[in-house]
Amino acid sequence: LFTELTSSNGSAARAGRHSKATHQETKTYNSRLVLRTIYDHGQISRADVARRTGLSRTTVSELVAELLAQDLVEEIGFGLSNGGKTPILLQVRDASRSLIGVDLSRDEFRAELVNLRGETQHAVSQPLLGRRGKAAIDLVYELLDELVPRATSPVLGIGIGSPGLVDIERGNQVHWSVNLDWMDLPLRGLIESHYDVPCSVLNDCQASAIAEHFFGPDRNRSHNLVVIKSEQGLGSGLILNGQIFHGDNNGAGEIGHVVVQPDGLPCRCGNRGCLETLASVSGILERIAAQRPRIPRTAVYNPARRRQLLDIDEVRRALDNGDPLVRQVVHEAGAALGTAIANLVGALNVQRIVIAGGIVALGQELLNVIQEEVLRRSLTALARETEVVFSSLGSRITILGASAVFLQQELGLTPFR
Amino acid sequence: LFTELTSSNGSAARAGRHSKATHQETKTYNSRLVLRTIYDHGQISRADVARRTGLSRTTVSELVAELLAQDLVEEIGFGLSNGGKTPILLQVRDASRSLIGVDLSRDEFRAELVNLRGETQHAVSQPLLGRRGKAAIDLVYELLDELVPRATSPVLGIGIGSPGLVDIERGNQVHWSVNLDWMDLPLRGLIESHYDVPCSVLNDCQASAIAEHFFGPDRNRSHNLVVIKSEQGLGSGLILNGQIFHGDNNGAGEIGHVVVQPDGLPCRCGNRGCLETLASVSGILERIAAQRPRIPRTAVYNPARRRQLLDIDEVRRALDNGDPLVRQVVHEAGAALGTAIANLVGALNVQRIVIAGGIVALGQELLNVIQEEVLRRSLTALARETEVVFSSLGSRITILGASAVFLQQELGLTPFR
């Protein structure tokens, strides 16, 4: 098997430059391999690390000594002997580093301080209340001002999941976010200079995909994964060959703005009949509100007021009670999602499709519609081996994924590698 | 920049094993880097190779000496001096190795012996005439029996582009090919034991994508690329991050069997209204034949006979003459392809989409319809930066891609890396 050196984010290759292997890179690689092995196995001896990694015992001992000195790993007592010396067990010190994850994709901004397992140490949130532009940035500062001082261990980084297109090449700028009225906002630079902590900004759906990949039930099994998040907006994040796939201009996963009904409802992107108008939580709420006779119409059209009249839990109750209008709108949403998933499955043959976000509240009835439509529109053999499931990570998914970026970047704790 | 070791086909990572960097791998990597640099630049001095690769001059000289001894590289005279010693120019000896490419996706099997630039040294073909199963395999042997003895330099490998699903993990079996009636056929093993030459079998659309990536006008520019081939069948090949993306079960790119018209025509896969029924060359011919009143219907339905009444060039002439039925069928095909491409662009943000195969004969009118539909169904910003073009590689595309597999596997001549 020929192995090849590639940069972890592909940027060297993308720039057309060639790189060569050096001893320092080999050492960094092996150190990360050891840390990852300990992280993945919970409690493990040096001998077992050597066995699982193929590294020599001497190399493992040297690398573990450094990890102990860095406080990333700790010795926690003795394991069972296999006849020889009683082995000392190692584990990762989950509280030895902190991470901050921020979710800007909802109608309230949320942020959490978490440990190396993504467990909450402290959580804060603030309702957005329509704030845009500079006022929305100030809200981010407000949340971070509260969180950063609470860290009791070194903060590896601040990961931000933002709606819209995020330009990875040019320093994590938010290239375009309609809802927040941000254009080419150098959010990463702003945060880094303000807090002197590494920051990473990524699309909130891509963050959700990282979360599912890293903390989901399928960790260390699926190499490919699509997460579709339906909330105010609708988008997806693609994990292909174990890494987020960004596409040529960071727009990969933007399936919410593929037009599925050319004569459909107007979308905030300027087109009509985008998938988002049919299958986002906002789209579902608006379509029900628009058609529901028992909701009084005011003389002046007021979308903010109309939207407040309904929430997704109310839709779920109406669905459970057999409300025919709600049933129709939800089934149309499910069919549209199923069609989009059939297209994804046909193009990518990814066998694990996870649906996340507020739409999950609609439960099994929605999932059944989606699954039936995928089956109806796909090559039977492909559909049979594909699982379409709801995420179990709940509303913390974006925060988890945004913070996990630093588990990967700073510690190399990527699943699979 | 942290660089990480990954296997070129991801199989080690997929199996969950970890690998470590060794000196031999570093040397192989650097040797391939040098060969690739010489291949890409045509004529280049050792000093320029060192400059472009970042390797030391001593290392480059040692590696070039080995490549000269292997006859892969030759010295071709002196270049211009930059003030110092007059440099000796190196180039790859294009005829020093041979490759064989085989295309099983058409109604005639074709094979070619080519040099390291994909230039034809000898070409053979045989009409399939409905042969299936064992008879179709014998036809492959017949072609190779004629080609293999004609090689005047060592044959690096035999690359076969086959219709259907090809199982990469289990030794390039043809997992499933309806047209050829092959199920779990160990084609690679059969060819390797028969000719004692390495063989690689891949899906013909994936081969086409490799061809476009390796020999197309965009070589060394696009890191991501989708090639859609419309011929008897319709499928696509995806190059993502510079490599063929296979999906979880080697089915990536099978967009031809996504159902786009649930009440449409029956497809050979068993479903109705697959994209293939609307937009493959066969689909277009059959739909025109079925609706055309001036083609006499025989009492007994005979699809083989009906298909012979029309070919794609005749369709092109009818289109140019403004035949309304032909225009309608071709425009429906274009709209269906455009919709499929909008889905791909939305999901992947791949900016270069190449259409290949016999359908290219329909020319600019078809391309216009496709491009308009992509624009209509995509986020405007995404569509504007996406180019949808016809391939310039013609009917040799599958042969070129199948043979190029060995330029990559045996010599490391991958674009970009």
Side-chain angles (χ1 to χ4, degrees):
Chain A
L1 187 73
F2 171 70
T3 63
E4 205 167 4
L5 283 170
T6 58
S7 72
S8 59
N9 63 4
S11 64
R14 195 170 303 184
R17 266 176 269 120
H18 298 300
S19 52
K20 56 175 180 159
T22 68
H23 295 293
Q24 183 53 46
E25 280 165 1
T26 304
K27 194 184 160 185
T28 305
Y29 175 80
N30 288 336
S31 173
R32 287 176 167 217
L33 179 54
V34 168
L35 181 63
R36 194 156 60 231
T37 305
I38 300 170
Y39 185 86
D40 285 345
H41 290 85
Q43 305 187 345
I44 190 170
S45 68
R46 288 172 180 76
D48 279 340
V49 170
R51 214 166 289 132
R52 286 176 183 277
T53 56
L55 296 169
S56 73
R57 295 206 178 191
T58 315
T59 303
V60 170
S61 289
E62 284 168 16
L63 294 170
V64 165
E66 286 180 24
L67 293 170
L68 288 166
Q70 292 163 16
D71 197 33
L72 276 165
V73 163
E74 61 190 345
E75 294 182 335
I76 51 147
F78 294 96
L80 293 174
S81 163
N82 288 324
K85 233 172 52 177
T86 312
I88 298 168
L89 293 181
L90 305 165
Q91 74 178 14
V92 167
R93 276 242 307 130
D94 294 340
S96 67
R97 301 290 189 280
S98 300
L99 306 152
I100 289 175
V102 184
D103 180 1
L104 308 183
S105 70
R106 307 165 67 98
D107 53 11
E108 60 173 23
F109 281 2
R110 298 181 179 184
E112 286 191 19
L113 195 64
V114 302
N115 71 8
L116 293 180
R117 299 280 171 192
E119 291 159 351
T120 309
Q121 294 174 321
H122 195 76
V124 291
S125 67
Q126 285 281 357
L128 187 56
L129 301 176
R131 273 175 278 197
R132 300 161 69 90
K134 176 76 172 59
I137 301 170
D138 287 342
L139 199 58
V140 179
Y141 286 133
E142 207 176 299
L143 292 177
L144 292 175
D145 284 347
E146 199 177 336
L147 271 191
V148 173
R150 288 182 180 267
T152 54
S153 62
V155 177
L156 290 180
I158 299 169
I160 302 181
S162 165
L165 289 178
V166 177
D167 192 329
I168 303 294
E169 308 263 305
R170 287 186 297 157
N172 286 181
Q173 283 192 57
V174 177
H175 175 54
W176 182 70
S177 172
V178 174
N179 284 355
L180 300 175
D181 196 20
W182 288 349
M183 265 296 264
D184 293 328
L185 175 74
L187 187 56
R188 174 185 171 176
L190 291 174
I191 299 296
E192 286 187 343
S193 64
H194 203 283
Y195 298 99
D196 202 21
V197 171
C199 175
S200 174
V201 181
L202 70 170
N203 172 274
D204 64 297
C205 295
Q206 296 185 339
S208 301
I210 291 176
E212 196 63 41
H213 186 52
F214 212 98
F215 295 111
D218 208 47
R219 178 179 166 85
N220 287 322
R221 201 155 57 84
S222 293
H223 211 64
N224 301 308
L225 174 69
V226 175
V227 175
I228 297 174
K229 201 173 76 164
S230 168
E231 198 74 63
Q232 256 121 299
L234 187 147
S236 68
L238 315 179
I239 305 273
L240 303 181
N241 289 332
Q243 303 205 333
I244 275 283
F245 181 72
H246 293 286
D248 282 324
N249 203 14
N250 305 298
E254 280 286 351
I255 59 171
H257 297 286
V258 173
V259 175
V260 295
Q261 280 188 336
D263 52 352
L265 292 175
C267 179
R268 61 195 167 107
C269 76
N271 275 344
R272 298 185 81 91
C274 295
L275 178 60
E276 189 169 292
T277 63
L278 281 170
S280 69
V281 168
S282 311
I284 291 170
L285 297 183
E286 280 176 30
R287 292 181 72 223
I288 293 172
Q291 294 176 55
R292 219 177 191 177
R294 64 185 159 90
I295 291 173
R297 300 261 185 134
T298 48
V300 179
Y301 176 83
N302 181 344
R305 196 177 132 60
R306 265 174 50 197
R307 206 174 300 170
Q308 284 164 14
L309 293 171
L310 261 178
D311 70 15
I312 196 72
D313 296 318
E314 194 188 333
V315 174
R316 170 61 187 269
R317 284 190 296 273
L319 187 66
D320 288 348
N321 292 331
D323 180 315
L325 165 63
V326 166
R327 183 178 185 279
Q328 188 198 324
V329 169
V330 169
H331 280 233
E332 281 170 6
L337 270 175
T339 303
I341 291 170
N343 278 307
L344 280 169
V345 169
L348 297 172
N349 185 205
V350 167
Q351 294 179 348
R352 191 170 165 82
I353 313 283
V354 180
I355 296 165
I359 202 170
V360 167
L362 297 181
Q364 193 62 43
E365 182 168 344
L366 172 69
L367 191 57
N368 289 345
V369 177
I370 296 171
Q371 287 169 338
E372 279 158 26
E373 194 69 20
V374 173
L375 197 60
R376 195 164 80 108
R377 291 199 176 250
S378 306
L379 203 58
T380 316
L382 271 185
R384 273 212 205 101
E385 58 192 31
T386 304
E387 50 172 4
V388 181
V389 299
F390 281 156
S391 171
S392 58
L393 296 179
S395 63
R396 293 182 69 231
I397 189 167
T398 304
I399 285 174
L400 281 172
S403 64
V405 167
F406 289 96
L407 294 178
Q408 180 167 347
Q409 263 180 40
E410 301 296 314
L411 303 178
L413 293 176
T414 321
F416 302 112
R417 293 274 164 80
Chain B
L1 188 73
F2 172 69
T3 64
E4 206 167 4
L5 282 169
T6 59
S7 72
S8 59
N9 64 3
S11 65
R14 195 171 303 182
R17 266 176 268 119
H18 299 299
S19 52
K20 57 175 177 158
T22 68
H23 295 293
Q24 183 53 47
E25 280 165 2
T26 304
K27 193 183 160 186
T28 304
Y29 175 79
N30 288 337
S31 171
R32 288 176 166 218
L33 179 54
V34 168
L35 181 62
R36 194 155 60 230
T37 305
I38 300 170
Y39 185 85
D40 286 345
H41 290 85
Q43 305 187 344
I44 191 170
S45 68
R46 288 171 178 79
D48 279 341
V49 170
R51 216 165 287 133
R52 285 177 183 277
T53 57
L55 297 168
S56 74
R57 295 207 179 191
T58 315
T59 303
V60 169
S61 290
E62 284 169 16
L63 294 171
V64 166
E66 286 180 24
L67 293 171
L68 287 167
Q70 292 163 17
D71 197 32
L72 276 165
V73 163
E74 60 190 346
E75 295 182 335
I76 50 147
F78 293 96
L80 293 174
S81 163
N82 288 323
K85 232 172 52 176
T86 312
I88 298 167
L89 293 182
L90 305 165
Q91 74 178 13
V92 168
R93 276 242 307 129
D94 294 340
S96 67
R97 301 291 190 280
S98 300
L99 307 151
I100 289 175
V102 185
D103 180 1
L104 308 183
S105 70
R106 307 165 68 99
D107 52 12
E108 61 173 23
F109 281 3
R110 299 181 179 185
E112 287 190 19
L113 195 65
V114 302
N115 71 9
L116 293 179
R117 299 280 171 190
E119 292 159 348
T120 310
Q121 294 174 321
H122 195 76
V124 292
S125 67
Q126 284 281 358
L128 187 57
L129 301 176
R131 274 174 277 197
R132 300 159 69 89
K134 176 75 171 61
I137 301 170
D138 287 341
L139 200 56
V140 178
Y141 286 133
E142 208 176 298
L143 292 177
L144 291 176
D145 284 347
E146 201 179 333
L147 271 190
V148 172
R150 289 184 181 264
T152 54
S153 62
V155 177
L156 289 180
I158 299 170
I160 301 181
S162 166
L165 288 178
V166 177
D167 193 328
I168 303 293
E169 309 263 306
R170 287 186 296 157
N172 287 178
Q173 284 191 59
V174 177
H175 176 52
W176 183 70
S177 172
V178 174
N179 285 354
L180 300 175
D181 196 20
W182 288 349
M183 265 296 265
D184 293 328
L185 175 74
L187 187 56
R188 173 186 172 175
L190 291 174
I191 299 296
E192 286 187 342
S193 63
H194 204 285
Y195 297 99
D196 203 21
V197 170
C199 175
S200 174
V201 182
L202 69 170
N203 172 273
D204 64 296
C205 295
Q206 296 184 340
S208 301
I210 291 175
E212 196 62 41
H213 186 51
F214 211 97
F215 295 112
D218 209 47
R219 176 178 168 86
N220 287 323
R221 201 155 58 85
S222 293
H223 210 64
N224 301 308
L225 174 70
V226 175
V227 175
I228 297 174
K229 201 173 76 163
S230 167
E231 198 76 62
Q232 256 121 301
L234 188 147
S236 67
L238 316 179
I239 305 274
L240 303 181
N241 289 334
Q243 302 203 332
I244 275 284
F245 181 71
H246 293 285
D248 281 324
N249 204 12
N250 304 299
E254 280 286 351
I255 60 171
H257 298 287
V258 174
V259 175
V260 294
Q261 281 189 335
D263 52 353
L265 293 175
C267 179
R268 62 196 166 105
C269 77
N271 275 343
R272 298 184 82 91
C274 295
L275 177 60
E276 188 169 293
T277 63
L278 281 171
S280 68
V281 168
S282 312
I284 291 171
L285 297 183
E286 280 176 31
R287 293 181 71 224
I288 292 172
Q291 295 176 54
R292 217 178 192 177
R294 66 186 158 92
I295 292 172
R297 300 261 183 131
T298 48
V300 179
Y301 175 84
N302 182 343
R305 195 178 131 59
R306 265 177 46 198
R307 206 173 300 169
Q308 284 163 15
L309 294 171
L310 261 180
D311 69 15
I312 196 73
D313 295 318
E314 194 189 333
V315 173
R316 170 62 187 270
R317 284 190 296 274
L319 188 66
D320 288 347
N321 291 332
D323 180 315
L325 166 63
V326 167
R327 183 176 185 281
Q328 189 197 323
V329 169
V330 169
H331 280 234
E332 281 170 8
L337 271 175
T339 303
I341 291 170
N343 278 307
L344 281 169
V345 169
L348 297 173
N349 184 205
V350 167
Q351 294 179 346
R352 189 171 166 83
I353 312 284
V354 179
I355 296 166
I359 202 170
V360 167
L362 297 181
Q364 193 62 42
E365 182 167 346
L366 172 69
L367 191 57
N368 289 346
V369 176
I370 296 171
Q371 287 169 337
E372 279 158 25
E373 194 69 20
V374 173
L375 198 60
R376 195 164 81 107
R377 290 199 177 251
S378 305
L379 203 58
T380 315
L382 271 184
R384 274 212 203 101
E385 59 193 29
T386 304
E387 49 173 4
V388 181
V389 298
F390 281 156
S391 171
S392 57
L393 296 179
S395 63
R396 294 181 68 230
I397 189 166
T398 304
I399 285 175
L400 281 172
S403 64
V405 166
F406 290 96
L407 294 179
Q408 180 167 348
Q409 264 181 38
E410 301 297 312
L411 303 179
L413 293 177
T414 321
F416 303 113
R417 292 276 162 82

